[in-house]
Amino acid sequence: MRFAKNRLRTAAATATAVALGAAGLAALPATASAATAGLNVQYRTSATGASADQAEPWIKVKNTGDSSVQLSGVKVRYYFKADSASATYRFACSWAVKGCANVTGTFGTLTSPTATADRYLEIGFTSGAGSLAAGADTGDMQLRFYQASWQPLNQSDDYSFGASQTSYGSWSKITAQLAGNTLWGTAPAGNGPTDPPTDPPTDPPADGATLFDDFNYSGYSDPRISANGWSVRSNSGGPGVPGATWAPENVTFSTTGGNSIMNLETSTAGTAATTEQTEVLTKATKFKNGTYAARVKFSDAPRSGPDGDRLVQTFFTINDLTAPMADNYAEYDFEYLPNGGWGEPANILYTTSWETYQADPWVAVNQHTESRQSFSGWHDLVLTIDGSSIKYYIDGQLFGTHDAAYLPERPMSINFNQWLIDLAGQTSTTARSYDQQVDYVLHIKDQVLTPAQVATKVNAYRSAGTTFQDTVPSG
C-alpha cells in the first residue's frame, strides 16, 4: 500500500480438479417396513413492509416423519425476485436455537424465472446441528438477508414472502428437501428444487487462533482500543501528502443497522496544512498465514465539499521494510481509488501482493489484480494466505490469485487507512471530507476459510454477543 506508483503486471494461472464419486443403493430386507419421512416448514416475519432494509424469514423446520433426521441432509429454500439483474445479497443469522454457527445460507438462481421469483436463499445445516427426532422441530431460526449495497428490498413481488405472517404457521411457499427429495412445499412454477446453490455451504473448520473485532468503541480515546491491541495513528510521515496530519480524533464510532461501525474521515482544503488523514492499525506484527476478512464501505463522493481528490481507501497487512529491496518484506492490499490516481483517470480497485521495493529510485516487485469500476458501498473483503498462493475475494467472488513468490517471510500488522495521494486531483481551497467505514475485522491463524465460512464465523460471534476476541499468540 505504500508509495505505490508503478506496478508490475504478471499473469496468474490456476488449475481446478473435480472428483466425482458414486454411491450404491441397498434394498430393504423383505421383512422390514420402510420408515416414513416428512418435513414441515413454519414461517413468520417481522419485516412486514413491501419495502424493507432487509428480509427476515424466521423459520422452524419440523420432522413429521417417524424416525430421526440428520439436519445436515436438510435444505430449505426461500424464493424471491431480485431487485435488479446485478443485485447481490448477503445472508445473516441473528439467532437460532441450534446455534447460528450451525446454520448456513447461500444464494442461487432459478433455471425458470417467474414474475415472483428468479433467486432463492437456500438454508442448510452443518453437522454440528445434530439430528431432529420424530415430532421435534429446530426451534426458532431468526434469519435475514439484504442487498450488499444496503439498498431497500422490494418484498411485494417475492414468492415466499408473507406480509401477514407475523406469527409462526405452516408455509407451503418455502420448500424443504431431505437427501435431495422434496418433502414440503411448492416451488415457483417450473422450478423443482434440484439446482445446487451458486455458493455451496461448507462446514466451518475447527476453531483456530483468532482475532475478531466488531469495533464497538465509544471514541478514538476509548482505553479499550489500546487494550485490545490497536493504535490510532497520530505520528507524521507517509504515505500521502507530505506535511499532512494523521488525526486520531477523525476516527469515530457509531451504530448502524444494529452493528457498530468505525468511520475513518479524511479531509482537506487543498493545502498540506489543512490535510488530515486517518489510520488504525494493530500494535503487534503477529499475523502471517491464514484468513483475513473485513466488511468495508468505500465512498465515491465526499461527505461534504467538492469531489475529485485522489483518495486511497484501504484494508491491508504489512511489515517493515528493513532495507531497500529487502527480501523479507511483505504487504497485501485492498486499495480503492474512487477518483483515480497513479496514472489512472477514474475509479479503480487494486489487490496487490508485495515482495519488496525501494523508494528512490523507485523499484517495485509486486503482483496485482485490478478492476476499473465503482466499488462505492459495502463490500466483504477476504484475503487468504497459505503455503502456495495468495487469494483475494470480494463479495464472495474470487478476485485475484497471486503467486507463491509473494508469500510472507515474517509476520505483519493489520491496517485500515484513508489518505490522499496528492492535492492535484482537486485544487479548490474549499474544505471537503471523505469517509471510509469498517464493520468488523477477522483473522484466523493458519486456516484458509471460504467467504461463506467467514460469514458463519462472524455470525456466530455476533449471535453470542462477542464484540472482541484475540487469541493469536505474539511472535
Side-chain angles (χ1 to χ4, degrees):
M1 191 283 319
R2 293 196 186 225
F3 311 107
K5 294 180 182 177
N6 300 318
R7 301 177 181 261
L8 303 182
R9 290 170 165 79
T10 59
T14 59
T16 302
V18 178
L20 300 178
L25 299 176
L28 289 170
T31 57
S33 59
T36 301
L39 295 173
N40 169 273
V41 175
Q42 296 185 354
Y43 159 79
R44 62 157 293 192
T45 183
S46 59
T48 58
S51 177
D53 290 337
Q54 57 188 1
E56 297 183 14
W58 294 12
I59 289 171
K60 293 180 182 179
V61 179
K62 183 177 182 179
N63 179 6
T64 58
D66 54 17
S67 62
S68 179
V69 167
Q70 290 296 319
L71 280 171
S72 59
V74 174
K75 304 294 182 187
V76 176
R77 286 190 178 180
Y78 179 99
Y79 301 88
F80 64 100
K81 177 86 169 173
D83 293 290
S84 70
S86 61
T88 57
Y89 295 86
R90 299 287 170 263
F91 166 79
C93 172
S94 297
W95 188 80
V97 172
K98 289 291 184 179
C100 280
N102 296 316
V103 180
T104 64
T106 54
F107 295 93
T109 302
L110 290 178
T111 55
S112 301
T114 71
T116 58
D118 55 12
R119 309 274 185 97
Y120 58 83
L121 166 65
E122 182 170 280
I123 300 151
F125 301 87
T126 71
S127 57
S131 60
L132 202 60
D137 65 49
T138 59
D140 210 14
M141 292 190 291
Q142 298 180 10
L143 313 177
R144 55 192 174 92
F145 67 93
Y146 50 91
Q147 288 201 65
S149 63
W150 279 106
Q151 294 297 309
L153 299 177
N154 175 20
Q155 298 193 101
S156 63
D157 60 354
D158 290 350
Y159 177 85
S160 295
F161 173 64
S164 62
Q165 287 293 114
T166 55
S167 60
Y168 276 114
S170 297
W171 196 247
S172 63
K173 290 188 174 183
I174 297 175
T175 59
Q177 302 174 71
L178 176 61
N181 298 313
T182 302
L183 301 183
W184 174 263
T186 304
N191 294 277
T194 56
D195 302 319
T198 49
D199 184 13
T202 53
D203 289 352
D207 288 339
T210 302
L211 168 68
F212 172 75
D213 202 329
D214 210 19
F215 296 114
N216 188 11
Y217 302 108
S218 61
Y220 76 95
S221 59
D222 189 327
R224 294 176 300 157
I225 294 178
S226 180
N228 289 346
W230 294 100
S231 174
V232 183
R233 183 176 176 178
S234 60
N235 60 295
S236 61
V241 174
T245 300
W246 293 88
E249 66 273 15
N250 291 344
V251 177
T252 57
F253 301 86
S254 62
T255 300
T256 301
N259 291 331
S260 52
I261 301 295
M262 177 172 69
N263 189 79
L264 284 71
E265 176 188 334
T266 293
S267 60
T268 188
T271 66
T274 61
T275 300
E276 296 183 347
Q277 306 175 141
T278 45
E279 181 167 20
V280 176
L281 64 154
T282 60
K283 293 184 286 187
T285 52
K286 62 178 183 177
F287 308 98
K288 193 180 177 187
N289 287 8
T291 300
Y292 301 79
R295 184 165 173 81
V296 177
K297 185 178 184 181
F298 297 128
S299 300
D300 280 352
R303 182 175 65 185
S304 62
D307 197 1
D309 289 290
R310 294 170 181 165
L311 190 71
V312 185
Q313 301 173 335
T314 75
F315 165 45
F316 65 103
T317 69
I318 193 171
N319 58 32
D320 61 316
L321 183 71
T322 57
M325 302 302 290
D327 61 5
N328 63 352
Y329 176 72
E331 181 180 346
Y332 307 94
D333 307 327
F334 290 91
E335 295 172 307
Y336 181 55
L337 284 59
N339 294 314
W342 298 326
E344 293 290 333
N347 40 31
I348 186 169
L349 176 69
Y350 289 105
T351 59
T352 309
S353 302
W354 290 80
E355 173 58 21
T356 191
Y357 74 93
Q358 71 177 25
D360 188 21
W362 178 255
V363 179
V365 182
N366 62 36
Q367 183 175 1
H368 82 276
T369 305
E370 77 280 344
S371 178
R372 292 173 176 83
Q373 66 180 67
S374 172
F375 282 86
S376 182
W378 284 105
H379 296 283
D380 298 312
L381 310 178
V382 176
L383 160 70
T384 65
I385 304 173
D386 59 18
S388 61
S389 66
I390 305 107
K391 295 182 184 293
Y392 297 86
Y393 298 83
I394 298 177
D395 296 332
Q397 301 300 311
L398 181 63
F399 185 84
T401 301
H402 295 172
D403 300 336
Y406 302 92
L407 292 172
E409 294 83 11
R410 294 183 295 138
M412 302 166 288
S413 62
I414 296 175
N415 302 49
F416 300 90
N417 66 15
Q418 183 178 219
W419 50 281
L420 295 174
I421 296 171
D422 53 39
L423 296 172
Q426 171 56 266
T427 58
S428 171
T429 57
T430 300
R432 58 267 191 191
S433 63
Y434 299 84
D435 290 336
Q436 174 188 340
Q437 296 183 335
V438 183
D439 185 6
Y440 70 83
V441 67
L442 174 73
H443 172 70
I444 310 293
K445 177 180 169 64
D446 295 330
Q447 291 184 359
V448 171
L449 274 66
T450 66
Q453 289 171 337
V454 166
T456 296
K457 296 283 286 188
V458 172
N459 289 338
Y461 278 119
R462 288 179 165 168
S463 297
T466 302
T467 59
F468 176 81
Q469 181 183 73
D470 186 3
T471 59
V472 180
S474 299

